[in-house]
Amino acid sequence: MTDTTEPSPRWAGLSLANPLVMGIINVTPDSFSGGGADPDPPTLIEAGRAMRAAGAAILDVGGESTRPGAAAVPPEAEIARVVPVIRALAGDGAVVSVDTRNAATMRAALEAGARIVNDVSGLRHDPEAAGLVAAAGCPVILMHMRGTPATMNAQAVYADLLADVVAELAATRDAALEAGIAPAAIALDPGFGFAKQGAQNVALLRALPAFRALGHPVLAGVSRKRFIGELAGEPDPARRDPGSIAAALFAAGQGAAILRVHDVPGTVQALRVWQALAAS
Ligand code: PMM
């Protein structure tokens, strides 16, 4: 009998046959979402282990808050925050991504065992970042935003929202390719909440297939974001997990390959039930 099944696509060595859950570990005292209120490394390492046990395929470790209006953190401070956590989790065998805009932090994180770079600036913030990722040959997540976390809210004005964001993200991707990064290493992210206001996030989430059409796995990071709070009528970010899970399932239905979330057990359980019900 001929096997007609296509091999499932892979990214970062992970099968994309089913949506992957990425657990958020913020080693910051000031994350907007409340997920990183305690920057104590042993606590965060335990939290990361629990996320992995609950089904997270990737652990995303960041040391700089990117909430609207946040001030930049110097790379030395960022490295001191993330490296102990990355070293411990990667030492367990976890697939760890480092959430940073700084080449020095990327380098230190990769040396500590991180396997993926997640850059909210799409490798545009630090002129050395693209070359570093190309030389490392590691997978990279390129996110769309305008400006910096300090300035992005004022830049959420688009002539044609979807066309503009897709074109700007495609240009970011093209710059990465020109720097020598392999197409298969790249995942793309529309950047929910980054230079986008409430309804713009909803429109982009509904239009996720237009991002998939760029030819890379798509990551959706909607967890606890302000637009979830607006849709749910929930001002407290730490109480937005049910709404975040609803949005994550919707993103999965729109073809998102990776879901970046705070509530790993809740999202994994919801995905399992949704997939079992949808299976024919
Ligand atoms: N959001 C935040 C930080 N890093 N990275 C990617 N790729 N996509 C995102 O949407 C994203 C990110 C901000 O959220 P947090 O403070 O809860 O981590």
Side-chain angles (χ1 to χ4, degrees):
M1 210 172 94
T2 319
D3 182 5
T4 51
T5 23
E6 299 264 327
S8 71
R10 300 181 81 81
W11 178 78
L14 301 164
S15 166
L16 300 178
N18 294 307
L20 300 174
V21 172
M22 167 190 269
I24 300 170
I25 302 173
N26 283 324
V27 199
T28 57
D30 57 350
S31 171
F32 86 93
S33 60
D38 183 354
D40 170 49
T43 307
L44 293 170
I45 291 162
E46 280 317 307
R49 288 180 174 147
M51 286 179 178
R52 194 163 167 240
I58 305 169
L59 301 176
D60 190 41
V61 180
E64 179 186 44
S65 170
T66 47
R67 77 184 195 288
V73 174
E76 307 75 55
E78 194 187 22
I79 289 168
R81 286 177 180 179
V82 298
V83 160
V85 177
I86 291 172
R87 188 169 285 129
L89 295 173
D92 292 346
V95 176
V96 175
S97 56
V98 61
D99 184 351
T100 183
R101 303 180 291 156
N102 298 309
T105 308
M106 293 172 193
R107 188 179 298 111
L110 293 170
E111 281 169 12
R115 291 192 227 171
I116 301 167
V117 167
N118 171 27
D119 185 343
V120 297
S121 84
L123 302 176
R124 291 177 303 118
H125 172 75
D126 186 327
E128 292 184 18
L132 180 117
V133 168
C138 64
V140 61
I141 298 153
L142 304 174
M143 199 193 79
H144 174 271
M145 85 161 145
R146 285 177 170 179
T148 65
T151 65
M152 62 190 179
N153 269 0
Q155 301 191 42
V157 180
Y158 297 88
D160 179 331
L161 172 73
L162 179 60
D164 290 357
V165 174
V166 168
E168 289 169 20
L169 192 54
T172 296
R173 185 272 314 268
D174 291 346
L177 295 176
E178 271 165 40
I181 296 172
I186 295 173
L188 298 176
D189 180 346
F192 296 100
F194 289 82
K196 287 115 195 155
Q197 304 288 2
Q200 295 172 332
N201 294 291
V202 175
L204 292 176
L205 199 47
R206 289 180 177 146
L208 228 45
F211 293 91
R212 284 183 62 205
L214 292 172
H216 304 271
V218 169
L219 182 149
V222 296
S223 188
R224 298 186 183 172
K225 289 197 172 158
R226 184 188 304 201
F227 81 99
I228 300 291
E230 289 165 0
L231 294 174
E234 178 51 73
D236 179 359
R239 293 173 56 87
R240 292 178 189 156
D241 286 337
S244 302
I245 291 170
L249 292 186
F250 182 79
Q254 296 292 95
I258 308 158
L259 306 169
R260 184 179 181 276
V261 309
H262 296 87
D263 179 5
V264 171
T267 308
V268 168
Q269 184 183 109
L271 269 173
R272 281 186 186 145
V273 172
W274 179 71
Q275 285 172 315
L277 294 172
S280 51

